[in-house]
Amino acid sequence: EPEVTQTPSHQVTQMGQEVILRCVPISNHLYFYWYRQILGQKVEFLVSFYNNEISEKSEIFDDQFSVERPDGSNFTLKIRSTKLEDSAMYFCASKRAEGGNTIYFGEGSWLTVV
Amino acid sequence: DAKTTQPPSMDCAEGRAANLPCNHSTISGNEYVYWYRQIHSQGPQYIIHGLKNNETNEMASLIITEDRKSSTLILPHATLRDTAVYYCIVRAGNTGKLIFGQGTTLQVKP
């Protein structure tokens, strides 16, 4: 069964450093998402991406965050200058097309900012 | 998207059916009911979804009331591996994102 894959599974970074989290969505999917989950809290929507542009973003997704689809397979989340409060699990997700299609999630990348 | 209300926690005996309720009284006609679960801190896992008819797949059954204001997810023979947080989410067919609430923590006990 096709799945969303994410790397790295865990990253520790110094505060102020840039971090790039990588995702390979399911191959025929066209809509891509990033979510995050701070330890003990809800899963929160960050951003959705379609047709090489951001289609929606939450208020969490400020200027420190950016997303990119650099080639036909990868989808990345960049945090420009990490803060302690960016420590969280980051989930990538993808969906095939418009309408009531199912969104599938990856296993997550755990980011620890020290 | 319509809000949903779920009990914060439930217990179920191993081998028995787990029935997880969800209220979505403000659901509108084009909104689907989706169920996901999250085992420990893994990625949310899709279980099932429906619009107005009852649905069944290899994981679970979804029963939606006729007025669509509530639904029940049924795991027919719960195992210890079904211990997880279960999320009921209402989403319009033409929108992308899922909005997660707190969900129901299901504890399956031996």
Side-chain angles (χ1 to χ4, degrees), chain A residues 33 35 42-47 56-58 103 105, chain B residues 1-4 6 31 34 36 87-92 95-103:
Chain A
Y33 308 86
Y35 286 75
K42 295 188 299 185
V43 177
E44 300 174 290
F45 168 76
L46 291 179
V47 66
E56 189 175 359
K57 60 182 180 179
S58 72
I103 295 176
F105 287 79
Chain B
D1 290 343
K3 291 187 179 178
T4 61
Q6 299 179 252
E31 290 180 318
Y34 280 81
Y36 282 77
Y87 300 99
C88 169
I89 303 170
V90 170
R91 174 167 76 102
T95 64
K97 66 186 184 208
L98 295 164
I99 302 297
F100 288 82
Q102 298 290 352

mmCIF file of all heavy atoms in Angstrom, chain A residues 33 35 42-47 56-58 103 105, chain B residues 1-4 6 31 34 36 87-92 95-103:
data_model
loop_
_atom_site.group_PDB
_atom_site.id
_atom_site.type_symbol
_atom_site.label_atom_id
_atom_site.label_comp_id
_atom_site.label_asym_id
_atom_site.label_seq_id
_atom_site.Cartn_x
_atom_site.Cartn_y
_atom_site.Cartn_z
ATOM 1 N N TYR A 33 0.139 18.644 2.594
ATOM 2 C CA TYR A 33 -0.135 19.339 3.845
ATOM 3 C C TYR A 33 1.002 19.128 4.831
ATOM 4 O O TYR A 33 1.689 18.108 4.803
ATOM 5 C CB TYR A 33 -1.415 18.793 4.507
ATOM 6 C CG TYR A 33 -2.614 18.752 3.609
ATOM 7 C CD1 TYR A 33 -2.838 17.658 2.776
ATOM 8 C CD2 TYR A 33 -3.528 19.799 3.584
ATOM 9 C CE1 TYR A 33 -3.939 17.616 1.932
ATOM 10 C CE2 TYR A 33 -4.631 19.759 2.748
ATOM 11 C CZ TYR A 33 -4.828 18.668 1.930
ATOM 12 O OH TYR A 33 -5.920 18.625 1.107
ATOM 13 N N TYR A 35 1.208 19.343 9.119
ATOM 14 C CA TYR A 35 0.577 19.516 10.419
ATOM 15 C C TYR A 35 1.667 19.399 11.477
ATOM 16 O O TYR A 35 2.736 18.842 11.221
ATOM 17 C CB TYR A 35 -0.456 18.412 10.671
ATOM 18 C CG TYR A 35 -1.733 18.531 9.893
ATOM 19 C CD1 TYR A 35 -1.788 18.233 8.529
ATOM 20 C CD2 TYR A 35 -2.912 18.927 10.526
ATOM 21 C CE1 TYR A 35 -2.982 18.338 7.827
ATOM 22 C CE2 TYR A 35 -4.108 19.029 9.828
ATOM 23 C CZ TYR A 35 -4.123 18.727 8.485
ATOM 24 O OH TYR A 35 -5.310 18.830 7.789
ATOM 25 N N LYS A 42 -3.119 18.893 20.639
ATOM 26 C CA LYS A 42 -3.837 18.456 19.447
ATOM 27 C C LYS A 42 -2.951 18.490 18.206
ATOM 28 O O LYS A 42 -1.936 19.195 18.163
ATOM 29 C CB LYS A 42 -5.016 19.406 19.174
ATOM 30 C CG LYS A 42 -6.089 19.423 20.207
ATOM 31 C CD LYS A 42 -7.288 20.244 19.743
ATOM 32 C CE LYS A 42 -6.949 21.682 19.468
ATOM 33 N NZ LYS A 42 -8.164 22.465 19.142
ATOM 34 N N VAL A 43 -3.364 17.765 17.207
ATOM 35 C CA VAL A 43 -2.757 17.883 15.886
ATOM 36 C C VAL A 43 -3.265 19.184 15.256
ATOM 37 O O VAL A 43 -4.475 19.406 15.180
ATOM 38 C CB VAL A 43 -3.141 16.676 15.003
ATOM 39 C CG1 VAL A 43 -2.558 16.831 13.609
ATOM 40 C CG2 VAL A 43 -2.676 15.372 15.636
ATOM 41 N N GLU A 44 -2.328 20.034 14.819
ATOM 42 C CA GLU A 44 -2.700 21.359 14.310
ATOM 43 C C GLU A 44 -2.324 21.506 12.841
ATOM 44 O O GLU A 44 -1.202 21.165 12.446
ATOM 45 C CB GLU A 44 -1.966 22.449 15.091
ATOM 46 C CG GLU A 44 -2.232 22.479 16.570
ATOM 47 C CD GLU A 44 -1.343 23.500 17.273
ATOM 48 O OE1 GLU A 44 -0.118 23.259 17.349
ATOM 49 O OE2 GLU A 44 -1.873 24.533 17.727
ATOM 50 N N PHE A 45 -3.210 22.058 12.070
ATOM 51 C CA PHE A 45 -2.957 22.329 10.661
ATOM 52 C C PHE A 45 -1.961 23.486 10.517
ATOM 53 O O PHE A 45 -2.075 24.504 11.208
ATOM 54 C CB PHE A 45 -4.277 22.687 9.976
ATOM 55 C CG PHE A 45 -4.133 23.260 8.597
ATOM 56 C CD1 PHE A 45 -3.838 22.447 7.522
ATOM 57 C CD2 PHE A 45 -4.290 24.623 8.382
ATOM 58 C CE1 PHE A 45 -3.717 22.976 6.244
ATOM 59 C CE2 PHE A 45 -4.175 25.159 7.112
ATOM 60 C CZ PHE A 45 -3.884 24.334 6.040
ATOM 61 N N LEU A 46 -0.992 23.320 9.624
ATOM 62 C CA LEU A 46 -0.051 24.402 9.324
ATOM 63 C C LEU A 46 -0.325 25.008 7.951
ATOM 64 O O LEU A 46 -0.526 26.214 7.820
ATOM 65 C CB LEU A 46 1.394 23.890 9.348
ATOM 66 C CG LEU A 46 1.968 23.483 10.692
ATOM 67 C CD1 LEU A 46 3.395 22.976 10.511
ATOM 68 C CD2 LEU A 46 1.944 24.644 11.669
ATOM 69 N N VAL A 47 -0.304 24.151 6.914
ATOM 70 C CA VAL A 47 -0.343 24.683 5.555
ATOM 71 C C VAL A 47 -0.816 23.607 4.591
ATOM 72 O O VAL A 47 -0.602 22.421 4.811
ATOM 73 C CB VAL A 47 1.071 25.192 5.166
ATOM 74 C CG1 VAL A 47 2.060 24.045 5.089
ATOM 75 C CG2 VAL A 47 1.061 25.999 3.892
ATOM 76 N N GLU A 56 -3.702 27.321 1.489
ATOM 77 C CA GLU A 56 -4.215 27.807 2.767
ATOM 78 C C GLU A 56 -3.127 27.657 3.820
ATOM 79 O O GLU A 56 -2.327 26.725 3.751
ATOM 80 C CB GLU A 56 -5.455 27.003 3.186
ATOM 81 C CG GLU A 56 -6.178 27.555 4.384
ATOM 82 C CD GLU A 56 -7.468 26.812 4.692
ATOM 83 O OE1 GLU A 56 -7.826 25.875 3.959
ATOM 84 O OE2 GLU A 56 -8.121 27.194 5.680
ATOM 85 N N LYS A 57 -3.098 28.574 4.783
ATOM 86 C CA LYS A 57 -2.163 28.441 5.885
ATOM 87 C C LYS A 57 -2.816 28.923 7.166
ATOM 88 O O LYS A 57 -3.721 29.749 7.137
ATOM 89 C CB LYS A 57 -0.868 29.203 5.616
ATOM 90 C CG LYS A 57 -1.054 30.693 5.418
ATOM 91 C CD LYS A 57 0.280 31.353 5.103
ATOM 92 C CE LYS A 57 0.095 32.848 4.908
ATOM 93 N NZ LYS A 57 1.383 33.552 4.626
ATOM 94 N N SER A 58 -2.335 28.390 8.275
ATOM 95 C CA SER A 58 -2.870 28.796 9.568
ATOM 96 C C SER A 58 -2.046 29.963 10.113
ATOM 97 O O SER A 58 -0.991 30.306 9.577
ATOM 98 C CB SER A 58 -2.837 27.624 10.537
ATOM 99 O OG SER A 58 -1.504 27.342 10.924
ATOM 100 N N ILE A 103 -7.255 12.039 3.126
ATOM 101 C CA ILE A 103 -5.921 12.565 3.391
ATOM 102 C C ILE A 103 -5.134 11.505 4.142
ATOM 103 O O ILE A 103 -5.615 10.963 5.150
ATOM 104 C CB ILE A 103 -6.007 13.869 4.210
ATOM 105 C CG1 ILE A 103 -6.696 14.961 3.393
ATOM 106 C CG2 ILE A 103 -4.623 14.318 4.647
ATOM 107 C CD1 ILE A 103 -6.922 16.254 4.162
ATOM 108 N N PHE A 105 -1.527 10.406 6.085
ATOM 109 C CA PHE A 105 -0.456 11.023 6.855
ATOM 110 C C PHE A 105 0.791 10.156 6.887
ATOM 111 O O PHE A 105 0.703 8.922 6.871
ATOM 112 C CB PHE A 105 -0.910 11.249 8.307
ATOM 113 C CG PHE A 105 -1.898 12.367 8.459
ATOM 114 C CD1 PHE A 105 -3.234 12.172 8.159
ATOM 115 C CD2 PHE A 105 -1.495 13.621 8.903
ATOM 116 C CE1 PHE A 105 -4.154 13.205 8.294
ATOM 117 C CE2 PHE A 105 -2.396 14.651 9.049
ATOM 118 C CZ PHE A 105 -3.726 14.438 8.739
ATOM 119 N N ASP B 1 -15.738 24.381 8.989
ATOM 120 C CA ASP B 1 -16.114 22.991 9.205
ATOM 121 C C ASP B 1 -16.894 22.869 10.507
ATOM 122 O O ASP B 1 -16.612 23.571 11.469
ATOM 123 C CB ASP B 1 -14.879 22.107 9.273
ATOM 124 C CG ASP B 1 -14.198 21.988 7.914
ATOM 125 O OD1 ASP B 1 -14.844 22.316 6.916
ATOM 126 O OD2 ASP B 1 -13.036 21.573 7.882
ATOM 127 N N ALA B 2 -17.874 21.940 10.520
ATOM 128 C CA ALA B 2 -18.702 21.758 11.706
ATOM 129 C C ALA B 2 -17.855 21.233 12.847
ATOM 130 O O ALA B 2 -16.930 20.461 12.655
ATOM 131 C CB ALA B 2 -19.835 20.799 11.398
ATOM 132 N N LYS B 3 -18.237 21.592 14.065
ATOM 133 C CA LYS B 3 -17.514 21.073 15.223
ATOM 134 C C LYS B 3 -18.095 19.729 15.615
ATOM 135 O O LYS B 3 -19.241 19.420 15.342
ATOM 136 C CB LYS B 3 -17.625 22.062 16.371
ATOM 137 C CG LYS B 3 -16.860 23.338 16.132
ATOM 138 C CD LYS B 3 -16.860 24.215 17.356
ATOM 139 C CE LYS B 3 -16.057 25.472 17.097
ATOM 140 N NZ LYS B 3 -16.058 26.381 18.240
ATOM 141 N N THR B 4 -17.298 18.943 16.263
ATOM 142 C CA THR B 4 -17.734 17.635 16.738
ATOM 143 C C THR B 4 -17.512 17.550 18.230
ATOM 144 O O THR B 4 -16.646 18.223 18.776
ATOM 145 C CB THR B 4 -16.971 16.508 16.045
ATOM 146 O OG1 THR B 4 -15.581 16.629 16.342
ATOM 147 C CG2 THR B 4 -17.158 16.543 14.534
ATOM 148 N N GLN B 6 -16.926 14.631 21.236
ATOM 149 C CA GLN B 6 -16.639 13.230 21.537
ATOM 150 C C GLN B 6 -16.350 13.093 23.033
ATOM 151 O O GLN B 6 -15.797 14.016 23.640
ATOM 152 C CB GLN B 6 -15.398 12.745 20.773
ATOM 153 C CG GLN B 6 -15.499 12.804 19.269
ATOM 154 C CD GLN B 6 -14.206 12.330 18.626
ATOM 155 O OE1 GLN B 6 -13.443 13.122 18.070
ATOM 156 N NE2 GLN B 6 -13.965 11.027 18.710
ATOM 157 N N GLU B 31 -21.031 18.032 3.942
ATOM 158 C CA GLU B 31 -19.944 17.651 4.843
ATOM 159 C C GLU B 31 -19.924 16.154 5.122
ATOM 160 O O GLU B 31 -20.954 15.551 5.418
ATOM 161 C CB GLU B 31 -20.035 18.439 6.154
ATOM 162 C CG GLU B 31 -19.700 19.913 5.956
ATOM 163 C CD GLU B 31 -19.773 20.717 7.236
ATOM 164 O OE1 GLU B 31 -20.722 20.513 8.020
ATOM 165 O OE2 GLU B 31 -18.889 21.560 7.446
ATOM 166 N N TYR B 34 -15.466 11.935 8.901
ATOM 167 C CA TYR B 34 -14.239 11.148 8.811
ATOM 168 C C TYR B 34 -13.830 10.677 10.203
ATOM 169 O O TYR B 34 -14.001 11.389 11.189
ATOM 170 C CB TYR B 34 -13.085 12.002 8.260
ATOM 171 C CG TYR B 34 -13.087 12.164 6.772
ATOM 172 C CD1 TYR B 34 -13.909 13.095 6.146
ATOM 173 C CD2 TYR B 34 -12.251 11.391 5.978
ATOM 174 C CE1 TYR B 34 -13.907 13.243 4.764
ATOM 175 C CE2 TYR B 34 -12.239 11.532 4.596
ATOM 176 C CZ TYR B 34 -13.069 12.453 4.009
ATOM 177 O OH TYR B 34 -13.060 12.596 2.641
ATOM 178 N N TYR B 36 -10.365 9.131 12.099
ATOM 179 C CA TYR B 36 -8.944 8.805 12.111
ATOM 180 C C TYR B 36 -8.590 8.330 13.507
ATOM 181 O O TYR B 36 -9.311 8.585 14.475
ATOM 182 C CB TYR B 36 -8.095 10.046 11.796
ATOM 183 C CG TYR B 36 -8.025 10.427 10.347
ATOM 184 C CD1 TYR B 36 -9.089 11.084 9.735
ATOM 185 C CD2 TYR B 36 -6.892 10.152 9.587
ATOM 186 C CE1 TYR B 36 -9.021 11.433 8.390
ATOM 187 C CE2 TYR B 36 -6.815 10.506 8.246
ATOM 188 C CZ TYR B 36 -7.888 11.142 7.662
ATOM 189 O OH TYR B 36 -7.819 11.491 6.337
ATOM 190 N N TYR B 87 -10.361 10.176 16.428
ATOM 191 C CA TYR B 87 -10.845 11.498 16.068
ATOM 192 C C TYR B 87 -12.006 11.402 15.089
ATOM 193 O O TYR B 87 -11.889 10.735 14.053
ATOM 194 C CB TYR B 87 -9.740 12.322 15.399
ATOM 195 C CG TYR B 87 -8.511 12.549 16.240
ATOM 196 C CD1 TYR B 87 -7.377 11.768 16.077
ATOM 197 C CD2 TYR B 87 -8.477 13.564 17.192
ATOM 198 C CE1 TYR B 87 -6.237 11.981 16.835
ATOM 199 C CE2 TYR B 87 -7.346 13.786 17.958
ATOM 200 C CZ TYR B 87 -6.230 12.981 17.773
ATOM 201 O OH TYR B 87 -5.108 13.194 18.531
ATOM 202 N N CYS B 88 -13.071 12.086 15.417
ATOM 203 C CA CYS B 88 -14.207 12.239 14.520
ATOM 204 C C CYS B 88 -14.108 13.642 13.936
ATOM 205 O O CYS B 88 -14.031 14.627 14.683
ATOM 206 C CB CYS B 88 -15.500 12.075 15.312
ATOM 207 S SG CYS B 88 -17.011 12.528 14.462
ATOM 208 N N ILE B 89 -14.069 13.763 12.632
ATOM 209 C CA ILE B 89 -13.845 15.055 11.983
ATOM 210 C C ILE B 89 -14.878 15.227 10.878
ATOM 211 O O ILE B 89 -15.102 14.313 10.087
ATOM 212 C CB ILE B 89 -12.427 15.133 11.379
ATOM 213 C CG1 ILE B 89 -11.367 14.896 12.456
ATOM 214 C CG2 ILE B 89 -12.208 16.478 10.691
ATOM 215 C CD1 ILE B 89 -9.965 14.710 11.916
ATOM 216 N N VAL B 90 -15.464 16.403 10.850
ATOM 217 C CA VAL B 90 -16.424 16.718 9.795
ATOM 218 C C VAL B 90 -15.743 17.659 8.809
ATOM 219 O O VAL B 90 -15.154 18.654 9.207
ATOM 220 C CB VAL B 90 -17.686 17.361 10.390
ATOM 221 C CG1 VAL B 90 -18.577 17.903 9.299
ATOM 222 C CG2 VAL B 90 -18.445 16.338 11.218
ATOM 223 N N ARG B 91 -15.821 17.324 7.551
ATOM 224 C CA ARG B 91 -15.102 18.112 6.537
ATOM 225 C C ARG B 91 -15.957 18.224 5.281
ATOM 226 O O ARG B 91 -16.489 17.240 4.793
ATOM 227 C CB ARG B 91 -13.775 17.428 6.199
ATOM 228 C CG ARG B 91 -13.007 18.081 5.068
ATOM 229 C CD ARG B 91 -11.586 17.568 5.005
ATOM 230 N NE ARG B 91 -11.473 16.250 4.430
ATOM 231 C CZ ARG B 91 -11.068 15.998 3.184
ATOM 232 N NH1 ARG B 91 -10.788 16.990 2.374
ATOM 233 N NH2 ARG B 91 -10.954 14.761 2.753
ATOM 234 N N ALA B 92 -16.036 19.422 4.759
ATOM 235 C CA ALA B 92 -16.756 19.626 3.505
ATOM 236 C C ALA B 92 -15.988 18.969 2.370
ATOM 237 O O ALA B 92 -14.763 18.922 2.363
ATOM 238 C CB ALA B 92 -16.941 21.114 3.231
ATOM 239 N N THR B 95 -13.233 21.110 0.556
ATOM 240 C CA THR B 95 -12.135 21.750 1.295
ATOM 241 C C THR B 95 -11.036 20.728 1.527
ATOM 242 O O THR B 95 -11.247 19.538 1.412
ATOM 243 C CB THR B 95 -12.581 22.316 2.645
ATOM 244 O OG1 THR B 95 -13.012 21.248 3.492
ATOM 245 C CG2 THR B 95 -13.716 23.297 2.469
ATOM 246 N N GLY B 96 -9.846 21.213 1.838
ATOM 247 C CA GLY B 96 -8.714 20.312 1.967
ATOM 248 C C GLY B 96 -8.467 19.824 3.365
ATOM 249 O O GLY B 96 -8.450 18.638 3.621
ATOM 250 N N LYS B 97 -8.279 20.769 4.286
ATOM 251 C CA LYS B 97 -7.680 20.403 5.560
ATOM 252 C C LYS B 97 -8.646 19.676 6.474
ATOM 253 O O LYS B 97 -9.860 19.749 6.341
ATOM 254 C CB LYS B 97 -7.187 21.669 6.267
ATOM 255 C CG LYS B 97 -8.304 22.593 6.675
ATOM 256 C CD LYS B 97 -7.785 23.889 7.240
ATOM 257 C CE LYS B 97 -8.963 24.734 7.732
ATOM 258 N NZ LYS B 97 -8.669 26.151 7.685
ATOM 259 N N LEU B 98 -8.064 18.944 7.393
ATOM 260 C CA LEU B 98 -8.784 18.325 8.496
ATOM 261 C C LEU B 98 -8.500 19.144 9.750
ATOM 262 O O LEU B 98 -7.365 19.548 9.975
ATOM 263 C CB LEU B 98 -8.299 16.897 8.717
ATOM 264 C CG LEU B 98 -8.549 15.887 7.593
ATOM 265 C CD1 LEU B 98 -7.692 14.660 7.788
ATOM 266 C CD2 LEU B 98 -10.019 15.510 7.530
ATOM 267 N N ILE B 99 -9.517 19.373 10.545
ATOM 268 C CA ILE B 99 -9.338 20.065 11.818
ATOM 269 C C ILE B 99 -9.534 19.030 12.929
ATOM 270 O O ILE B 99 -10.626 18.481 13.075
ATOM 271 C CB ILE B 99 -10.328 21.219 11.992
ATOM 272 C CG1 ILE B 99 -10.176 22.234 10.853
ATOM 273 C CG2 ILE B 99 -10.137 21.901 13.345
ATOM 274 C CD1 ILE B 99 -8.822 22.905 10.812
ATOM 275 N N PHE B 100 -8.476 18.795 13.684
ATOM 276 C CA PHE B 100 -8.519 17.784 14.741
ATOM 277 C C PHE B 100 -8.959 18.410 16.048
ATOM 278 O O PHE B 100 -8.510 19.488 16.423
ATOM 279 C CB PHE B 100 -7.126 17.161 14.943
ATOM 280 C CG PHE B 100 -6.712 16.250 13.836
ATOM 281 C CD1 PHE B 100 -6.164 16.745 12.668
ATOM 282 C CD2 PHE B 100 -6.861 14.873 13.957
ATOM 283 C CE1 PHE B 100 -5.786 15.910 11.645
ATOM 284 C CE2 PHE B 100 -6.478 14.023 12.947
ATOM 285 C CZ PHE B 100 -5.944 14.537 11.779
ATOM 286 N N GLY B 101 -9.848 17.697 16.763
ATOM 287 C CA GLY B 101 -10.179 18.055 18.127
ATOM 288 C C GLY B 101 -9.338 17.237 19.082
ATOM 289 O O GLY B 101 -8.248 16.778 18.725
ATOM 290 N N GLN B 102 -9.876 17.053 20.281
ATOM 291 C CA GLN B 102 -9.143 16.283 21.292
ATOM 292 C C GLN B 102 -9.344 14.789 21.135
ATOM 293 O O GLN B 102 -8.561 13.989 21.633
ATOM 294 C CB GLN B 102 -9.572 16.713 22.703
ATOM 295 C CG GLN B 102 -9.278 18.160 23.021
ATOM 296 C CD GLN B 102 -7.790 18.447 23.178
ATOM 297 O OE1 GLN B 102 -6.960 17.542 23.189
ATOM 298 N NE2 GLN B 102 -7.454 19.715 23.287
ATOM 299 N N GLY B 103 -10.444 14.389 20.470
ATOM 300 C CA GLY B 103 -10.688 12.980 20.235
ATOM 301 C C GLY B 103 -11.104 12.208 21.475
ATOM 302 O O GLY B 103 -11.253 12.761 22.568
#
